[in-house]
Amino acid sequence: RAWPRVVRTVPDAELVLAGDGEPDYVSALRTMVATLDIGRSVRFVGFVTGQQKLTLLSAAHASLLISFHENFGVAALEAMAAGLPLVLSPTVHLAPFAHRHGLAIVADPADSDALSRALVTALTDPAMRAHCERSGPELSRREFSVETIGRRLLAMYEEARA
């Protein structure tokens, strides 16, 4: 519901919906897109991996992960590693970290006005974009590499064992 306001402010914006889900949910999204008459600016690409995912991330200007219940948010981490500004809901576990480092705007998914403002900012703020391009990849490597996570898990298991 926030997207029509975004397109009024950023007329050339395109919302690319990547991923799959329950068929009824995807059908409801498609119906909402048709009802809101925003189909010209919305593209459903389904589940993507590998080079197709890298191509989408490299062409994107921002990444959005809005959910009422979300675990860690691997898709958000991938977008952060690609240097994209993020718009996340508070339920995405990565949101506090990304927000604290200036890489994300956190918006309530039930507040379409706040969500549209967050999206417009993520799409149009050159300072935020430059910061995300510079800091997102480095923070992703430093904080979420296999080596870093492995060390943290080992320390956690050693503490639990002790």
Side-chain angles (χ1 to χ4, degrees):
R1 289 180 179 88
W3 191 246
R5 281 176 249 162
V6 174
V7 174
R8 281 195 295 275
T9 306
V10 187
D12 61 340
E14 179 184 39
L15 179 62
V16 178
L17 297 169
D20 56 9
E22 296 296 322
D24 289 345
Y25 179 73
V26 174
S27 177
L29 282 177
R30 289 181 183 278
T31 299
M32 182 183 292
V33 165
T35 301
L36 294 172
D37 193 30
I38 55 175
R40 290 177 301 284
S41 65
V42 177
R43 182 166 44 118
F44 289 83
V45 296
F47 183 74
V48 295
T49 61
Q51 188 57 50
Q52 185 182 16
K53 182 189 294 186
L54 294 175
T55 299
L56 285 173
L57 287 170
S58 68
H61 294 279
S63 180
L64 168 70
L65 180 57
I66 294 297
S67 175
F68 288 104
H69 49 85
E70 185 68 37
N71 57 18
F72 177 76
V74 172
L77 179 58
E78 291 170 332
M80 186 173 80
L84 296 174
L86 307 172
V87 176
L88 305 172
S89 57
T91 57
V92 175
H93 185 76
L94 187 63
F97 174 88
H99 184 264
R100 185 172 56 251
H101 290 282
L103 303 171
I105 301 168
V106 179
D108 180 352
D111 184 344
S112 61
D113 289 331
L115 188 54
S116 63
R117 285 190 305 272
L119 281 162
V120 167
T121 299
L123 289 169
T124 62
D125 184 334
M128 182 180 190
R129 181 160 186 88
H131 174 71
C132 292
E133 287 174 351
R134 185 177 56 254
S135 300
E138 190 274 324
L139 273 170
S140 298
R141 280 189 300 275
R142 188 179 77 212
E143 297 295 323
F144 299 102
S145 69
V146 172
E147 295 80 14
T148 299
I149 298 300
R151 281 192 303 275
R152 289 179 186 160
L153 280 173
L154 181 60
M156 182 181 70
Y157 287 132
E158 287 175 349
E159 183 179 326
R161 189 179 70 167

